[in-house]
Amino acid sequence: MPASALARLLRAYVRHAPGTVGKAELVDRFLDDHLRTRPLHTTARLRSGDLVTVTTSDVIQRYQYLFGEWEPNLSAFLRDRLRPGDTFIDVGAHRGAFSLLASHAVGPTGRVIAIEPTPRFHDDLTIAATTNH
């Protein structure tokens, strides 16, 4: 089986199979390095349901591809704390992972203000916001 097909199969196991048995070892021993050195350019669905484009040579995008989110502890904190109608300000929003997550938590009566000064990341943020309404 070609390495890229194996990587997709292992990613599906890591991402969707219940439990944690062997997952950390697969990521540490194969997937992280493979996806970094042989990057995929694809679309990933985040835990929030949002779709984002990713290039797996980037660590943040690689973890979004593998796990559906970046910084799971901070993501859980935001999901627990934000309520409908709240305002969330994301300074240094990068590509919008936390802004997208926050938009679901604050709902249609809330607001998300995402600020990203780097032109390349600002463009990615704009595409993510547009794609996911």
Side-chain angles (χ1 to χ4, degrees):
M1 175 180 297
S4 59
L6 178 60
R8 284 186 168 88
L9 180 67
L10 294 175
R11 182 260 186 172
Y13 171 72
V14 166
R15 180 89 186 257
H16 302 293
T20 60
V21 175
K23 292 181 178 184
E25 292 82 8
L26 288 174
V27 171
D28 290 343
R29 293 189 180 154
F30 176 71
L31 284 171
D32 194 45
D33 185 60
H34 179 81
L35 293 169
R36 180 180 52 80
T37 59
R38 295 170 191 84
L40 294 176
H41 307 283
T42 189
T43 301
R45 184 172 301 278
L46 302 179
R47 280 190 60 194
S48 63
D50 295 307
L51 294 173
V52 294
T53 58
V54 295
T55 301
T56 62
S57 57
D58 175 87
V59 67
I60 295 172
Q61 296 173 59
R62 186 166 58 253
Y63 275 66
Q64 288 176 319
Y65 174 73
L66 284 170
F67 305 112
E69 66 185 347
W70 172 246
E71 294 190 13
N73 292 334
L74 181 54
S75 296
F77 175 82
L78 292 174
R79 281 191 296 273
D80 289 344
R81 297 289 196 263
L82 291 171
R83 299 286 176 252
D86 284 352
T87 297
F88 178 77
I89 302 172
D90 191 357
V91 178
H94 194 248
R95 302 179 76 244
F98 296 127
S99 296
L100 292 170
L101 185 152
S103 72
H104 294 280
V106 303
T109 60
R111 292 182 54 168
V112 174
I113 300 166
I115 301 166
E116 177 49 59
T118 305
R120 180 176 58 121
F121 294 141
H122 181 270
D123 291 346
D124 292 343
L125 173 64
T126 301
I127 291 166
T130 302
T131 299
N132 295 290
H133 310 289

